Amino acid sequence: MTTGGTQRFTGGDVLMQQLRVDPPVQLLWRVQGRTAPEVLRKIHSNLAQGPLNRRMRAPRVPLARPVWERHTDCRPLRVSSRTVAPEEVMDWADAACRVELDAHGGYGWELSAAHVADGTSVVSLVGSHALTDGQGLIGAATLAARESARQWCSGQHSLVDDLTDAVTEGLWTYSRLALARLYDKVAEVPATATRMLFGRSPQGGGAAPVRSRLAFTVSAAEAERVADSGGGSVTGLMLAMTANILRAARGTTEAGRPFTVGLPVSFRRPDDLESSNMVGIATLRLDGRRGRYTDLADIRRLSKAAYAEAVGRHLTGYPQTDAALSNAGEMLPEARDVFGPALGILFRTVSGAGGPPGRMNCFVLRAGKTVSVGFQSAGVAVGHGLVERELEAWGITPTHAW
């Protein structure tokens, strides 16, 4: 199937370009048995025909948004010749993220795979965040699994097209981005003043290594049961877990300080599998309290208000919050088992440069009857024991550990 013409950068694409933030976005399939080489080759070929295989064409008019156009080349399929030990799967996944990606030049993704010594396989699809967000990566995988990837045509965009975009969508996009970034700077003033007056700087001190080894899969029905019984959602449950785990790791559970969480908000239509970055960031503030967060109904109420504010602003930056939680939604069945029966599918964003010390990211993805959750921390030790105790407190038993 073919789409005519080209696609302009979305607001999220412009944001990524201006901030020069480009961490890899990764999908990890843990599959029963050995994935057949012909299946890997077919999916790689289908991905090469899809929306990930594009490059940037610069506009000729200021304030016009750049254009994505189809690219005919891509990075080759990479299959490891070494069998990976089960305890080294996340090491292998981290290494897969260190590939050189050039989203603007047309080499923004890579598919790789390895056999695991326990008889399973692990498959990684990595995409540049400058190219797409998590839902866009999932959409590309879904199209590849359906063998219905849309081959982009490099249509001509004229000077008139650039002028038209500059005075309409381009002007709106850049103006909203500038206002949102100004809003974020103004909102940061009280926090900055507090740190100066009281010497509290949990975010400061430079970058710290990212620890990305904590990931597990749970029953979706079990997570929903716990969330429903507390008057909340699975996202709210994971948000409470993230806050509780990080506060315990920091030793601030009894300090009673407010806790902030960055929540990506998707502006994507439900049936949109092709767009690039379609995400903004909401900021959720949990009131300071002693002990664990357990009121899921209150978290749901606060989350709705934060999402509504983000949708109203539509474009936003990356606020310096205590934690971030990204729920990529649900992987459809055809993509879930495309490489074989999946034990779990993990979504995450990995930055080798680390992040503000003391921060933790949580990533959530549902795939059929399972929900996979991954934690990454920067500059603070979050051990398996903390996660296990938090799961136990909610009455949840993992079905698979990564």
Side-chain angles (χ1 to χ4, degrees):
M1 298 173 65
T2 329
T3 55
T6 52
Q7 179 182 308
R8 294 279 176 179
F9 270 37
T10 66
D13 295 339
V14 173
L15 175 66
M16 289 294 179
Q17 181 191 38
Q18 289 208 347
L19 294 180
R20 292 180 172 84
V21 175
D22 189 14
V25 184
Q26 185 180 49
L27 285 173
L28 282 173
W29 286 259
R30 189 69 179 273
V31 180
Q32 298 176 17
R34 286 178 170 256
T35 301
E38 59 270 21
V39 171
L40 290 167
R41 288 194 294 268
K42 182 179 74 172
I43 296 302
H44 181 269
S45 176
N46 291 347
L47 286 166
Q49 298 299 312
L52 295 182
N53 227 48
R54 54 189 168 205
R55 64 182 177 185
M56 184 187 80
R57 183 188 294 177
R60 288 162 289 186
V61 177
L63 291 184
R65 295 169 298 161
V67 169
W68 289 117
E69 63 178 8
R70 174 162 170 74
H71 189 48
T72 56
D73 201 3
C74 65
R75 296 189 61 86
L77 170 67
R78 187 159 57 92
V79 180
S80 175
S81 59
R82 182 179 68 88
T83 299
V84 178
E87 64 272 15
E88 295 177 347
V89 166
M90 296 307 291
D91 287 332
W92 179 88
D94 286 347
C97 285
R98 289 194 286 271
V99 61
E100 294 281 341
L101 296 177
D102 179 11
H104 294 163
Y107 299 90
W109 64 276
E110 182 176 88
L111 184 70
S112 56
H115 299 307
V116 185
D118 62 3
T120 64
S121 299
V122 59
V123 181
S124 164
L125 174 59
V126 175
S128 163
H129 211 329
L131 178 69
T132 192
D133 55 28
Q135 289 188 339
L137 195 69
I138 292 169
T142 303
L143 290 172
R146 290 176 178 172
E147 300 191 56
S148 60
R150 297 174 179 267
Q151 188 174 35
W152 286 42
C153 288
S154 296
Q156 296 296 319
H157 72 291
S158 66
L159 184 61
V160 173
D161 293 331
D162 280 352
L163 284 168
T164 301
D165 188 74
V167 299
T168 55
E169 293 296 322
L171 178 61
W172 182 88
T173 297
Y174 286 104
S175 298
R176 292 295 294 269
L177 177 60
L179 287 173
R181 293 177 73 179
L182 177 62
Y183 178 94
D184 288 337
K185 287 183 180 297
V186 171
E188 177 63 16
V189 170
T192 302
T194 299
R195 289 196 294 269
M196 292 176 65
L197 288 172
F198 299 103
R200 294 177 182 172
S201 184
Q203 314 280 0
V210 169
R211 298 174 178 87
S212 55
R213 301 181 184 277
L214 296 176
F216 58 90
T217 299
V218 301
S219 162
E222 194 171 349
E224 287 174 346
R225 174 186 58 78
V226 173
D228 289 343
S229 65
S233 64
V234 172
T235 299
L237 170 63
M238 297 304 168
L239 195 155
M241 289 179 56
T242 299
N244 293 338
I245 291 168
L246 182 54
R247 293 173 77 224
R250 287 177 170 179
T252 59
T253 306
E254 299 301 321
R257 296 176 187 168
F259 191 90
T260 56
V261 185
L263 301 172
V265 181
S266 177
F267 303 123
R268 190 182 302 268
R269 299 187 314 273
D271 60 342
D272 180 5
L273 300 178
E274 297 186 14
S275 293
S276 43
N277 285 286
M278 297 289 290
V279 67
I281 305 294
T283 299
L284 175 70
R285 180 185 174 91
L286 297 176
D287 291 336
R289 68 173 60 192
R290 299 181 187 279
R292 297 170 55 250
Y293 289 102
T294 57
D295 190 343
L296 299 184
D298 185 51
I299 288 177
R300 168 176 260 173
R301 178 183 61 81
L302 294 171
S303 297
K304 285 184 176 180
Y307 284 136
E309 181 185 4
V311 169
R313 291 168 58 198
H314 198 80
L315 280 173
T316 183
Y318 284 82
Q320 292 296 305
T321 54
D322 292 290
L325 184 141
S326 179
N327 188 339
E330 184 168 4
M331 177 77 78
L332 296 177
E334 56 263 50
R336 181 181 69 232
D337 296 321
V338 67
F339 299 109
L343 293 168
I345 304 174
L346 183 66
F347 155 72
R348 62 187 194 146
T349 300
V350 180
S351 173
R359 180 184 169 92
M360 188 168 76
N361 297 328
C362 175
F363 302 100
V364 182
L365 176 63
R366 176 165 182 166
K369 296 180 180 180
T370 65
V371 176
S372 291
V373 185
F375 290 112
Q376 290 176 181
S377 59
V380 60
V382 178
H384 284 277
L386 286 176
V387 177
E388 290 168 357
R389 285 193 291 274
E390 182 64 22
L391 284 168
E392 186 178 350
W394 290 102
I396 297 175
T397 302
T399 59
H400 170 69
W402 288 77

